[in-house]
Amino acid sequence: MRIACLGGGPAGLYFAISMKLRDPAHEVDLFERNRANDTFGWGVVFSDQTVENLMANDPVSGAVIAGEFAHWDDIDVHIHGDTIRSSGHGFIGIGRKRLLSILQDRARALGVNLHFEHEGGADLAGWADYDLVIAADGANSRIRDRYEAHFGVDIQVRKNKFFWFGTHKVFEAFTFAFEETEAGWVWAHAYRFDDDLSTFIVEMDPETWAGLGLDRMDQPEAIALCERIFARYLDGHALMSNAIHLPGPQAWLTFRRIVCDRWDYGKLILLGDAAHTAHFSIGSGTKLALEDAIKLAEVLNRPGLGRDAALAEYQAERNLEVLKLQNSARNSTEWFEALERYLHFEPIQFAYSLLTRSQRVSHENLRLRDRDWLESVECWFQAKARGRAVNEPAPPMFAPFHLREMVLANRVVVSPMAMYSAEDGTPNDFHLVHYGARAQGGAGLLYTEMTCVSPEGRITPGCAGLYAPAHVDAWRRIVAFVHARSEAKFCLQLGHSGPKGSTKVGWEGYDVPLESGNWPLIAASDVPWSPHNQVPRPMTRADMEAVTADFVAAVERAVEAGFDMIELHAAHGYLLSSFITPLTNKRTDDYGGSLENRLRFPLEVFRAMRAVWPEDRPMSVRISANDWMGELGITPDEAVEIGRAFWAAGADLIDVSAGQTWADCQPIYGRMFQTPFADQVRNEGRVTTMAVGNIYEPDHVNSILAAGRADLVALARPHLVDPSWTLRAAAGQDYRRVAVPRPYLGGMAQLARNLQREAELKA
Ligand SMILES: Cc1cc2nc3c(=O)[nH]c(=O)nc-3n(C[C@H](O)[C@H](O)[C@H](O)COP(=O)(O)OP(=O)(O)OC[C@H]3O[C@@H](n4cnc5c(N)ncnc54)[C@H](O)[C@@H]3O)c2cc1C
Ligand SMILES: Cc1cc2nc3c(=O)[nH]c(=O)nc-3n(C[C@H](O)[C@H](O)[C@H](O)COP(=O)(O)O)c2cc1C
């Protein structure tokens, strides 16, 4: 095959090498616009795994590269005058120049034709002599931009400014240094990549950048300023720029996140940064470029696969890995962009949050890397929760939590789940067994399903209620069982279905109106949930008073029934949520328009409830923190305001859910997908939050809590099939101090032994 390779960065060079290795008959011409020794940047970092991949692909260049790597294990986080060191991170660094020169030598030896100082054209017509054209021309690829529409290019310019410096200060650990200046926070990512050289990337938000005058400074001035800011880390060493020819402000870069729907176009294929970029803070751009090159060469040389089929197969096999890394890189980018959110953390938690920012590193990963450090975090977390020194580590999920006078034994919560099994609103034996089993299953807090404040406020005829004396008696029996037979606390979720009422029970079709016996609906406005649902009647002031009175009466009954806590359901498109989201609130009175107006009725209800609920018992509010409709609906930024408003009205916990407010919304699902909203509401709003949504492993729960992303963690569906989720989690972590019903003690001990043995075998 005759191949033209545009770009002599890691992707282009390594692809050329990988093709020649597989079939020396391939003719490969590589065109690089720069001279062989010109390059931007200083060092690059890899994980040990990437080096193994290089060794397997080409042991010759792999061995040279592996022999020259600077290897280090420690990460130092400097914040608020403290240094937090953790170990076991296994990084390696090499100079970009050195890496390219090793690859150039190897390419030459294998017979690749290297053409330096040769600008490749962006028009495919100019490449007619070749069977295959590789666009490995980097993030600013001209040939990709020329055929942009075909590739479905999405370029997002991120907000922070950064400068890639070098320095002769040798950092023995990967170093993150955060410094406060008069204009805001500035930080450095620094690591050694050679015997006497380190990379030193300085980053800050654009406001700080302008506030420091860097938008007007020439390079020598900017360098001097950065040297002053980071003087205590540099030990008198200078910062060096290799873009010194650029005017000062232009030497500062902004990261561009590039995603392409398609990577191939006829005989043209995008490789490395031309196809996708990953933020420098997870150090994976070069890894992606090299692993792209290996995969593409492998697929192109696969017997029986023609060129076009091979190019399509390449993307099919490579896409998922690239997307995963790009997602981690996005999380990491966002962490640095939202830095202000975490600056109030104590240094140890700040460091934990930083280390787990991409969500690729979890609590248990950290234990594998550095058990002592992780256990120091666990002791710190338990000490905070218990208000006394703790020397024995324990999983964060088993730390107690106080809400007013109520004390939870642990941080695991059974999320509210409608059971659709009540008759005329009255819970029955099914509910006794259902809630009883989950209370005995070890969770610290148990929520009821959405319990409705009136017959018309039900979602379905099977919904539970608290609007009649019979309901009080039935709930009292269940609450008494939970209190007598477990340590769990019991929270009643109260709600009104509003525009989503009068529908069939869940398993007969979600949100589908009844065949017969429908009742009229009320909502903020006459916006139906879907074309198939009833058009609700916009509420009058009299309706509002009546509904508020229903909520208040239900709270009074909750006191009689003996609940420990109540939650107001203001999420998921039900009555109160229909006021909060602009998608369904079209009112022009004091209850529509601005967020303040849209919150007015839900807050009136909340305050009225709070007034009759005992002072010593806590209340929470469930909100939808994202309508998943962009700026048309509620955004996570607004969720911070919503959380704050309920907090100011006396809420003790914001239960941060999302969505279900608009039938056609497009949620982005994934592991822990709503946790970023709980994090934002908690740490920007400075309120207490509960995270929920596709959280299913003990490791998720511990990571969320220790990183301060939420205070409590709710699991819904995992508890449907496993009422004893918390007991199983305790057994798996060999945690003995969980409350186990006495008759079950033998089972717990056996489960703990078996899970420990399995874990040892796996290790
Ligand atoms: C500040 C910063 C820090 C980084 N840190 C790391 C790190 O620690 N670890 C890591 O793995 N990655 C890091 N990266 C990312 C890494 O540099 C890239 O992901 C990687 O270089 C991608 O390789 P590539 O071959 O696809 O592109 P590039 O390395 O950009 O190579 C493209 C080449 O094509 C050439 N070219 C472009 N257009 C033409 C043309 N028309 N004709 C001829 N030649 C052309 C360019 O001169 C260039 O040499 C960092 C990036 C930045 C900006
Ligand atoms: C069967 C079922 C019923 C639910 N009913 C309610 C409810 O009554 N009130 C509520 O706020 N959320 C309800 N939810 C949403 C859950 O509380 C939770 O937010 C959601 O399922 C995401 O968590 P998970 O991924 O752990 O299941 C329900 C979820 C399920 C699966």
Side-chain angles (χ1 to χ4, degrees):
M1 209 187 274
R2 266 205 95 197
I3 303 165
C5 214
L6 194 54
L13 283 166
Y14 207 59
F15 171 76
I17 292 169
S18 303
M19 283 305 274
K20 281 296 216 180
L21 279 171
R22 284 170 178 76
D23 185 352
H26 291 309
E27 198 179 318
V28 187
D29 283 315
L30 184 143
F31 302 94
E32 166 58 49
R33 61 152 72 112
N34 291 330
R35 288 175 303 181
N37 260 336
D38 292 342
T39 187
F40 65 89
W42 299 91
V44 294
V45 285
F46 296 144
S47 65
D48 292 334
Q49 177 63 48
T50 306
V51 179
E52 278 173 32
N53 296 344
L54 298 185
M55 288 296 280
N57 184 58
D58 177 22
V60 175
S61 61
V64 181
I65 293 168
E68 299 208 13
F69 266 122
H71 190 281
W72 69 96
D73 271 334
D74 297 345
I75 294 185
D76 281 352
V77 180
H78 301 273
I79 178 80
H80 302 313
D82 239 325
T83 300
I84 305 291
R85 171 167 288 196
S86 58
S87 196
H89 299 288
F91 281 110
I92 33 202
I94 189 168
R96 179 177 157 100
K97 272 192 184 173
R98 183 63 195 127
L99 174 68
L100 292 186
S101 115
I102 295 169
L103 297 182
Q104 286 169 11
D105 290 348
R106 180 68 174 142
R108 256 187 227 104
L110 289 167
V112 176
N113 308 314
L114 299 176
H115 310 273
F116 289 100
E117 297 180 76
H118 187 121
E119 177 78 31
D123 200 320
L124 260 180
W127 301 99
D129 295 345
Y130 292 93
D131 306 315
L132 180 65
V133 180
I134 309 294
D137 50 346
N140 299 322
S141 170
R142 282 173 51 218
I143 199 160
R144 178 203 61 218
D145 290 350
R146 168 88 168 73
Y147 301 103
E148 182 183 13
H150 179 83
F151 292 121
V153 184
D154 176 28
I155 299 184
Q156 221 181 59
V157 181
R158 304 303 308 208
K159 73 176 188 135
N160 283 356
K161 296 279 181 188
F162 67 93
F163 200 132
W164 200 353
F165 293 112
T167 175
H168 286 294
K169 157 78 196 210
V170 174
F171 289 94
E172 288 308 338
F174 193 116
T175 297
F176 291 104
F178 295 83
E179 286 296 313
E180 190 172 16
T181 69
E182 65 281 8
W185 284 80
V186 180
W187 56 97
H189 315 233
Y191 53 90
R192 180 168 74 87
F193 63 87
D194 209 338
D195 286 346
D196 69 339
L197 273 172
S198 297
T199 292
F200 197 93
I201 301 171
V202 175
E203 186 184 359
M204 68 195 82
D205 66 34
E207 295 78 24
T208 306
W209 185 71
L212 287 172
L214 287 161
D215 56 341
R216 304 178 295 277
M217 264 181 220
D218 62 24
Q219 276 206 52
E221 268 184 289
I223 290 171
L225 176 65
C226 291
E227 285 170 349
R228 273 200 306 281
I229 294 172
F230 294 104
R232 67 162 126 158
Y233 308 99
L234 291 169
D235 294 338
H237 291 283
L239 290 178
M240 301 177 286
S241 159
N242 58 9
I244 202 75
H245 56 284
L246 292 175
Q250 280 179 34
W252 290 90
L253 306 173
T254 43
F255 176 72
R256 299 193 323 144
R257 181 176 190 266
I258 298 170
V259 178
C260 295
D261 293 341
R262 280 197 73 165
W263 298 343
D264 65 318
Y265 176 42
K267 64 180 181 181
L268 174 66
I269 181 113
L270 307 177
L271 203 66
D273 270 15
H276 45 67
T277 54
H279 192 249
F280 58 86
S281 61
I282 65 160
S284 292
T286 306
K287 163 199 162 73
L288 276 178
L290 296 173
E291 290 174 355
D292 273 5
I294 298 173
K295 173 59 82 180
L296 181 59
E298 191 230 299
V299 175
L300 280 166
N301 289 284
R302 207 175 275 171
L305 213 54
R307 182 198 66 192
D308 293 352
L311 296 187
E313 184 60 21
Y314 163 67
Q315 182 164 359
E317 291 184 23
R318 187 82 184 115
N319 213 8
L320 185 63
E321 178 63 19
V322 169
L323 279 179
K324 275 197 208 157
L325 255 161
Q326 283 193 302
N327 278 345
S328 302
R330 190 196 50 218
N331 293 338
S332 177
T333 316
E334 286 173 355
W335 191 92
F336 285 103
E337 288 176 350
L339 180 76
E340 293 275 330
R341 204 187 275 173
Y342 308 109
L343 286 166
H344 66 283
F345 284 4
E346 287 183 35
I348 192 167
Q349 186 167 42
F350 181 85
Y352 184 102
S353 171
L354 172 59
L355 293 174
T356 54
R357 69 194 181 281
S358 75
Q359 286 173 48
R360 272 160 72 87
V361 176
S362 70
H363 198 72
E364 292 310 317
N365 295 143
L366 286 175
R367 194 189 306 282
L368 289 176
R369 291 170 186 219
D370 188 345
R371 174 176 283 271
D372 288 348
W373 186 74
L374 201 264
E375 291 186 350
S376 76
V377 173
E378 293 191 336
C379 289
W380 169 84
F381 193 89
Q382 294 287 343
K384 290 283 284 183
R386 294 171 194 276
R388 59 173 168 81
V390 171
N391 299 320
E392 205 185 319
M397 70 165 69
F398 293 111
F401 193 65
H402 293 246
L403 283 165
R404 298 207 181 202
E405 298 302 310
M406 184 181 85
V407 184
L408 302 177
N410 63 61
R411 310 284 182 111
V412 184
V413 178
V414 177
S415 199
M417 280 183 284
M419 290 291 111
Y420 311 114
S421 301
E423 281 159 50
D424 292 328
T426 312
N428 50 44
D429 284 353
F430 170 84
H431 299 83
L432 176 71
V433 173
H434 170 73
Y435 292 113
R438 279 147 193 84
Q440 292 187 323
L445 180 61
L446 185 66
Y447 271 72
T448 67
E449 60 208 275
M450 176 168 123
T451 302
C452 308
V453 296
S454 61
E456 320 75 58
R458 288 175 302 165
I459 311 167
T460 75
C463 286
L466 195 42
Y467 47 82
H471 301 162
V472 180
D473 294 338
W475 278 118
R476 190 189 288 116
R477 175 170 169 248
I478 300 168
V479 173
F481 179 89
V482 168
H483 285 162
R485 298 288 180 164
S486 79
E487 287 191 358
K489 301 296 178 195
F490 206 0
C491 177
L492 169 75
Q493 187 188 56
L494 283 175
H496 186 300
S497 56
K500 291 172 90 174
S502 191
T503 60
K504 296 181 178 181
V505 295
W507 49 87
E508 288 176 4
Y510 277 105
D511 304 323
V512 178
L514 297 168
E515 302 287 343
S516 62
N518 282 293
W519 59 86
L521 304 182
I522 51 170
S525 304
D526 54 357
V527 180
W529 170 246
S530 81
H532 311 291
N533 294 74
Q534 276 182 63
V535 177
R537 181 170 62 76
M539 285 175 79
T540 61
R541 185 61 221 161
D543 292 325
M544 291 184 198
E545 276 159 23
V547 167
T548 307
D550 287 340
F551 271 97
V552 167
V555 173
E556 286 166 346
R557 292 190 183 99
V559 179
E560 283 182 56
F563 282 102
D564 303 295
M565 175 176 173
I566 45 178
E567 172 165 283
L568 175 61
H569 195 336
H572 300 171
Y574 297 118
L575 185 69
L576 300 178
S577 168
S578 82
F579 274 81
I580 299 175
T581 168
L583 296 165
T584 49
N585 184 336
K586 304 294 171 196
R587 300 176 76 99
T588 52
D589 60 5
D590 287 351
Y591 295 92
S594 66
L595 179 60
E596 189 188 353
N597 279 358
R598 286 182 276 124
L599 274 170
R600 195 179 305 280
F601 179 54
L603 284 169
E604 281 174 13
V605 173
F606 181 84
R607 287 199 192 94
M609 292 166 75
R610 184 67 264 182
V612 292
W613 182 240
E615 184 64 26
D616 58 346
R617 293 189 217 173
M619 278 185 72
S620 62
V621 182
R622 178 163 265 207
I623 63 168
S624 282
N626 190 346
D627 285 338
W628 300 110
M629 290 291 288
E631 296 297 319
L632 296 176
I634 295 292
T635 62
D637 286 346
E638 281 172 317
V640 176
E641 298 310 312
I642 297 170
R644 274 197 189 127
F646 280 108
W647 188 259
D652 305 288
L653 177 74
I654 309 300
D655 173 1
V656 186
S657 184
Q660 300 176 54
T661 48
W662 191 248
D664 294 330
C665 69
Q666 300 289 325
I668 303 171
Y669 293 112
R671 202 166 41 108
M672 305 186 270
F673 71 115
Q674 296 172 161
T675 301
F677 312 139
D679 179 355
Q680 187 171 353
V681 172
R682 179 181 194 266
N683 293 311
E684 286 181 15
R686 299 296 180 89
V687 302
T688 301
T689 63
M690 178 159 79
V692 66
N694 213 13
I695 299 165
Y696 50 88
E697 285 184 3
D699 197 21
H700 301 159
V701 179
N702 287 328
S703 306
I704 291 168
L705 293 169
R709 307 180 81 208
D711 300 278
L712 294 176
V713 179
L715 291 79
R717 288 164 294 177
H719 277 117
L720 283 180
V721 289
D722 189 357
S724 299
W725 189 91
T726 306
L727 293 187
R728 188 182 292 281
Q733 297 172 91
D734 204 16
Y735 180 75
R736 305 290 169 89
R737 275 168 288 139
V738 68
V740 184
R742 274 187 289 183
Y744 302 168
L745 279 167
M748 205 41 200
Q750 192 212 22
L751 182 61
R753 269 195 310 275
N754 288 342
L755 291 177
Q756 291 306 316
R757 202 171 303 138
E758 269 175 33
E760 279 160 24
L761 283 175
K762 251 193 221 158

